[in-house]
Amino acid sequence: MGFRAAGAILKKIKEQLLKGVPNTGAPFCIPSHTLAHPTSNMRFMEISTWIRGARLKTLPLAIAPVVIGAALSWRGVFLYSQGGDIWHEPCPFFGGQHDLGKMKFGSLVGECQRSAGWFILVAVLCGCVALFLQVAANFANDYSDGIRGTDEGRAVDSARSFAKTPSAESTSTPEMLPASQPQHGPARLVASGVSPKKVLAAAGINALIACLCGLAVVALTGYWWFILVGIACLVAGWCYVGGKHPYGYHYLGEIFVFIFFGLVAACGTMFALAGTISTEGMLGGANVGLIAAAVLCVNNLRDVETDRTHGKHTWMTALGRRNGTVFAIALLSVAVLLLAAYILLLSTPAMPTIAILAVTCAMCAAAAVAIARKKYGEALPLCTFSSLALAATYVCCVVFA
């Protein structure tokens, strides 16, 4: 019975497929339009290519420092962190400010008039600033490296699979890509044939969104000098590999990544929320900045030969693959040791904090092993997601303190 039912179903499928197809006496075959839809395939390829261009695996590096800065600000959010008296200017807060004329002298001494809603809104906006700046920098780097030829050979990976797939209109043997074709890391947009102007426009759109979120933070906090910080971040993102003298080509990439993906993001978020920067905030920023620098080192280790060919001078091209491997692993090790030292300074670390610390250590150790084995494709996501584990450790330190 089972075979008869299956045969009946196949017969119905054949009848449905043959509807509208003239009877030429040729053997039954499924029309090509049922096997492949060129328009939909091209649309899917275009969307997936742009998603790859955004480099989603790098985005945890943008979120982690903001989470650390927000977590370390939470404990003092309702207390004026810099002390003071009743005469200090009221801190802005979501929903309006209290009327100081109705307060008795000393009733709110040293208190900061912020609400939880204000805190959450500013924290989310800081996260959006970091996130969209990261995406904008990724597109800008794709554009600059693409027009310089540094990303030569890094076409979209799907080109290989399409070369291996036989056409629906041809029964000839598919043309295979040369087995000796070098692999130069993940695909890049300009190298895949996307118009450089479109890639640059994508960078501009994401930078604009980041600027709008940043202006909202300025309006809610009253710190107008944040605009200067935002301009510095935009310039740093563009000049990494863009412009006539990109600092990423002159041994400065790792330093700027440590500063902007670590200290600036974490400390900037903390100041926006708490009005001050604590020693813990500096430590947290340095902690996550070390992991961000390690990620860049892994990237440059993977591309060390092509970087030398195109005149891109990085710490990895200077140190060489062997010493560069040791340096990248050392960065991860120092980040873990700093985190462990911070936790040990707490009076009594809670079990959840110790558990998250163990996860962070395990991820960094796995990343170090992958780097040593030259499996950079495995090491990169381990490094980036270890930054989130590190941020979660700081959150646990605050929640269970």
Side-chain angles (χ1 to χ4, degrees), residues 291 332-333 335-337 339 353-371 378-379 381-383 385-387 389-390 393:
I291 293 183
L332 292 175
S333 302
V336 170
L337 290 175
L339 180 61
T353 304
I354 297 175
I356 297 296
L357 172 62
V359 172
T360 307
C361 293
M363 294 182 70
C364 288
V369 171
I371 295 171
E378 297 178 7
L382 284 170
C383 289
F385 283 101
S386 66
S387 67
L390 183 143
T393 308

Side-chain angles (χ1 to χ4, degrees), residues 90-103 108 111-115:
C91 301
F93 83 112
F94 189 59
Q97 294 180 342
H98 294 297
D99 184 3
L100 290 180
K102 296 181 180 180
M103 299 178 186
L108 289 178
E111 291 192 9
C112 187
Q113 300 163 36
R114 294 187 173 114
S115 68

Side-chain angles (χ1 to χ4, degrees), residues 73-92 108-114 118 221 223 271 273-277:
S73 302
W74 179 256
R75 281 182 292 189
V77 68
F78 296 112
L79 296 177
Y80 189 55
S81 54
Q82 293 176 331
D85 54 28
I86 193 62
W87 304 111
H88 83 269
E89 184 179 356
C91 301
L108 289 178
V109 173
E111 291 192 9
C112 187
Q113 300 163 36
R114 294 187 173 114
W118 179 93
T221 61
Y223 302 136
F271 196 92
L273 294 170
T276 188
I277 300 173

